Amino acid sequence: MQLRPEIQVDIEHHRVNFIWQDQHSLSLSHQALREICPCGFCKAKRMQAKQVVDDMAVQVTAIFDQGYGAQICFSDGHDKGIFPWIFLRELNGD
């Protein structure tokens, strides 16, 4: 199984699509991606039942391949989250 998916950014519908070689796919809105950010800061906020995202119109501004996952940068300035491929593969889309 290939861990690294093809990534398609759908700017018009504000979604990011992850498509693995075996045709498994995941489609998430920019907002959903920001809310599930796996970085320590965002995890701590979720554990404290605090809101992770203040800007409901948050957009993905850049995606960088980090080998084991994707660093996703957002319009609210947050860029610390690296979304491991295996983490994304195990998610259900919104």
Side-chain angles (χ1 to χ4, degrees):
M1 171 180 65
Q2 175 196 14
L3 290 180
R4 184 176 300 159
E6 175 186 348
I7 301 172
Q8 299 173 345
V9 180
D10 182 345
I11 295 171
E12 182 179 347
H13 296 103
H14 309 287
R15 300 189 74 75
V16 179
N17 304 304
F18 302 91
I19 304 162
W20 282 265
Q21 199 170 36
D22 65 359
Q23 299 310 307
H24 177 82
S25 64
L26 173 68
S27 179
L28 292 169
S29 68
H30 295 195
Q31 178 75 26
L33 278 166
R34 180 64 182 90
E35 288 174 356
I36 64 167
C37 176
C39 81
F41 178 75
C42 292
K43 280 184 183 179
K45 279 185 137 181
R46 284 192 296 274
M47 288 175 62
Q48 297 169 5
K50 292 183 180 177
Q51 187 174 348
V52 174
V53 184
D54 294 326
D55 180 3
M56 293 305 172
V58 69
Q59 299 294 312
V60 170
T61 58
I63 300 176
F64 300 102
D65 187 337
Q66 297 299 329
Y68 68 95
Q71 176 186 5
I72 302 179
C73 306
F74 297 92
S75 59
D76 65 354
H78 189 70
D79 62 359
K80 302 300 182 225
I82 297 178
F83 294 69
W85 303 129
I86 195 72
F87 170 80
L88 291 168
R89 172 113 181 156
E90 293 174 352
L91 290 174
N92 291 319
D94 62 354

